[in-house]
Amino acid sequence: MTIRVIIADDQAMVRAGFAALLNAQTDIDVVGDAADGRQALEVSGHTHPDVVLMDVRMPGMDGLEATRRLLEPRAGAGHRPKVLMLTTFDIDDYVYEALRAGASGFLLKDAPPADLIAAVRVVAAGEALLAPSVTRRLIEDFARTRPAPRRDPKLRLNGLTPRETEVLELIARGLSNQEIAARLVLAEQTVKTHIGRILAKLDLRDRAQAVVLAYESGLVTPGQP
């Protein structure tokens, strides 16, 4: 199955370079590009991509606002692509907000070509791009300095079983599926099943959003051992 991609970046050379690299892959097809967030929404609307490479900083509508609009639940909307944010900064406030908006992760613009190709495939497969430890560092950094308002710490988690709550906590602490399985003495496939149920019950897109919610709900706090 071919992965359909659009590239949103205000620099034409960046778009052309990424497109050439990705189109050289037999399983990836770049179906459009955009110079700003508004164009990204328009192009996405008629090309129905699987993955959108979205630059964080663009003139006019930036990547953050475009991501919010692209991923917002809409009545009758049958297609929402995965969004992979592109940034020039290792830790960027906009990246955190993009994860909260539903982006599946972020990638540095100067990452090696192999990393870009792998990132597109990982995100298209429904996984968060960020490694668990990187996800934890990103969220903790911002939770320490600018925690999101906590409405009701337990309200949204009430539908989880005790085991699912335990798995969510370990995800937020940065453990991989294999490490969670070892900690709880479970098969790795069982852990994957629990994670799938957690995402479905909490209406989350991927692991990155699960980590954000775990911190925002108060299930895990920054610096907690």
Side-chain angles (χ1 to χ4, degrees):
M1 179 177 176
T2 302
I3 302 169
R4 296 168 60 81
V5 176
I6 67 173
I7 303 167
D9 193 289
D10 61 325
Q11 298 181 48
M13 289 292 289
V14 171
R15 298 197 305 273
F18 283 1
L21 176 65
L22 294 174
N23 276 328
Q25 311 306 308
T26 58
D27 60 336
I28 300 175
D29 184 16
V30 177
V31 296
D33 63 16
D36 59 34
R38 195 170 301 281
Q39 286 185 15
L41 295 178
E42 294 172 358
V43 174
S44 179
H46 63 75
T47 59
H48 303 294
D50 301 301
V51 177
V52 177
L53 293 178
M54 185 79 78
D55 188 17
V56 171
R57 302 173 186 271
M58 293 183 286
M61 183 185 295
D62 64 16
L64 177 59
E65 180 60 26
T67 297
R68 286 197 187 106
R69 297 193 186 191
L70 195 61
L71 300 181
E72 66 182 357
R74 296 183 296 271
H79 176 79
R80 284 192 295 170
K82 303 295 193 307
V83 175
L84 175 59
M85 305 302 299
L86 300 171
T87 178
T88 54
F89 302 97
D90 186 15
I91 294 295
D92 188 311
D93 185 46
Y94 285 95
V95 172
Y96 175 71
E97 293 296 340
L99 290 175
R100 292 182 64 197
S104 295
F106 77 95
L107 185 71
L108 296 179
K109 278 186 169 184
D110 60 357
D115 287 0
L116 173 63
I117 295 166
V120 169
R121 289 171 177 155
V122 167
V123 169
E127 300 292 334
L129 170 67
L130 306 177
S133 60
V134 176
T135 304
R136 178 176 59 182
R137 177 170 62 88
L138 177 70
I139 303 305
E140 283 198 2
D141 282 350
F142 284 101
R144 284 194 183 96
T145 59
R146 190 174 49 78
R150 292 178 181 171
R151 298 169 181 84
D152 182 335
K154 298 298 180 184
L155 182 60
R156 196 172 175 187
L157 304 184
N158 282 345
L160 300 183
T161 67
R163 177 63 87 187
E164 289 166 352
T165 302
E166 193 173 15
V167 170
L168 176 58
E169 181 179 349
L170 294 177
I171 291 173
R173 293 185 188 284
L175 275 68
S176 66
N177 289 357
Q178 185 176 17
E179 291 168 337
I180 293 172
R183 176 76 65 89
L184 301 180
V185 195
L186 297 172
E188 191 170 346
Q189 184 57 49
T190 302
V191 172
K192 291 179 181 179
T193 299
H194 282 310
I195 293 173
R197 289 173 179 165
I198 290 167
L199 298 181
K201 286 182 177 182
L202 299 179
D203 192 26
L204 302 173
R205 291 173 63 83
D206 53 36
R207 193 185 197 101
Q209 278 202 312
V211 174
V212 172
L213 179 60
Y215 278 95
E216 292 186 341
S217 69
L219 179 64
V220 177
T221 57
Q224 182 179 350

